[in-house]
Amino acid sequence: MKALILSANNFEDSELLVPLYRLQEEGYGVEVAAGEQGCISGKHGYEVRVDKTFAEVDPADYAVLILSGGKAPASIRDEATVQAIVRAFFDADKPVGAICHGPQILVSAGLLNGRRATCYRTVAEELRAAGAEYQDREVVVDGRLVTARQPGDLPAFMRELVRLLPQ
């Protein structure tokens, strides 16, 4: 089984690295996709190797999608390829985890109308405007969508996401 993380420079380090390592612990191969090959850098200096560009991603190859936070989601949310990847996961009813600013990508893809979700507090009004029922809780599960607010919520976020993984 494989997992996909979509990101860019200025990601929130813990929100990318914790899911990456936790999914590896579950036996998943984890690939990071970004706009260009090479490495992306987190807000706190961690570098992560990019396995594929967005254009090289085939969503059918993956069982779960992670959208980490930081400033990365704002920089990729309007890319048509990124939106198509996210929509493909929703259309296939695969688990999607979005934390902190990660749900901004879901907003841009038009996927939150009528859904329950949470996010970093500064993004809450954007979720509401997109038709989501915003809940200020450490983790919100709505079907196959798992959202969380911030790095301190990572244990709950990963607990709920792991429950949804195909075995």
Side-chain angles (χ1 to χ4, degrees):
M1 296 290 226
K2 290 195 322 188
L4 177 65
I5 298 174
L6 301 180
S7 197
N9 284 318
N10 294 311
F11 60 87
E12 175 57 50
D13 303 55
S14 63
E15 294 171 354
L16 189 149
L17 295 170
V18 169
L20 186 147
Y21 295 134
R22 184 66 185 90
L23 290 168
Q24 287 176 341
E25 288 174 348
E26 290 295 320
Y28 278 69
V30 183
E31 293 185 343
V32 175
E36 299 176 352
Q37 287 288 349
C39 289
I40 53 175
S41 297
K43 289 172 40 178
H44 306 290
Y46 285 91
E47 284 194 345
V48 176
R49 184 177 56 83
V50 173
D51 299 296
K52 291 186 175 181
T53 65
F54 299 136
E56 295 171 322
V57 169
D58 180 354
D61 292 342
Y62 304 93
V64 59
L65 173 65
I66 303 292
L67 306 171
S68 57
K71 296 181 180 181
S75 69
I76 64 173
R77 68 184 290 179
D78 294 324
E79 293 190 30
T81 307
V82 169
Q83 292 179 15
I85 291 167
V86 175
R87 286 186 193 112
F89 275 85
F90 272 70
D91 290 347
D93 198 31
K94 294 180 181 180
V96 173
I99 185 167
C100 192
H101 286 71
Q104 289 179 310
I105 296 170
L106 304 176
V107 168
S108 292
L111 295 168
L112 289 182
N113 190 30
R115 305 295 298 254
R116 290 180 295 111
T118 195
C119 58
Y120 192 68
R121 60 182 164 73
T122 60
V123 182
E125 284 307 314
E126 192 175 336
L127 257 67
R128 288 185 186 108
E133 178 190 323
Y134 170 75
Q135 298 180 354
D136 184 14
R137 296 181 18 215
E138 67 179 352
V139 66
V140 174
V141 179
D142 185 344
R144 310 285 279 161
L145 174 63
V146 179
T147 54
R149 300 172 302 190
Q150 57 205 7
D153 299 335
L154 278 162
F157 178 68
M158 291 312 301
R159 179 189 68 235
E160 296 302 327
L161 191 63
V162 166
R163 287 182 182 165
L164 296 179
L165 295 178
Q167 300 301 321

